[in-house]
Amino acid sequence: LGEPLPPGVELDPLVSVFLRRQQRLEQQNRRREAGLGQRLSRFLRKKFFLFRRSALMTLISLRNLALGRPPLSQLAQEVAYANWRGEEE
């Protein structure tokens, strides 16, 4: 289970679902067992990126109302930047 598959070998869909579930359970256990400092840090980081995304999307929307919609490629790039959450844990 812990070893990667050789290149070119496809993973069974049932096995991939099981592995994702196990990984999610391990992450939940790590978060539960984390200390107060780590929990506070994670909470503040989550709220910071939520506020950042809200502010950026609001500014993009206001600009679009005032100046009109930009090209879709520019809009997609701006939304991708707004959705960026930094380096994942």
Side-chain angles (χ1 to χ4, degrees):
L1 282 176
E3 298 177 14
L5 290 174
V9 176
E10 290 187 28
L11 193 61
D12 183 23
L14 197 58
V15 172
S16 65
V17 169
F18 173 75
L19 290 175
R20 274 190 303 228
R21 182 172 179 264
Q22 286 301 111
Q23 187 178 25
R24 193 171 51 244
L25 288 173
E26 288 174 6
Q27 287 175 348
Q28 286 175 350
N29 286 339
R30 270 187 270 139
R31 283 194 297 254
R32 280 191 200 118
E33 295 170 359
L36 182 62
Q38 289 175 332
R39 289 175 129 178
L40 181 62
S41 172
R42 184 175 184 278
F43 173 79
L44 291 175
R45 180 180 173 83
K46 191 175 178 180
K47 294 303 174 184
F48 168 76
F49 281 108
L50 178 68
F51 179 76
R52 175 187 174 274
R53 182 181 187 280
S54 298
L56 288 172
M57 294 298 270
T58 300
L59 291 174
I60 291 169
S61 297
L62 291 175
R63 188 213 48 214
N64 291 350
L65 285 173
L67 304 175
R69 195 173 80 186
L72 286 179
S73 61
Q74 179 185 349
L75 195 57
Q77 186 178 13
E78 291 170 349
V79 170
Y81 178 74
N83 289 335
W84 181 74
R85 295 181 151 250
E87 303 303 322
E88 294 296 321
E89 297 175 11

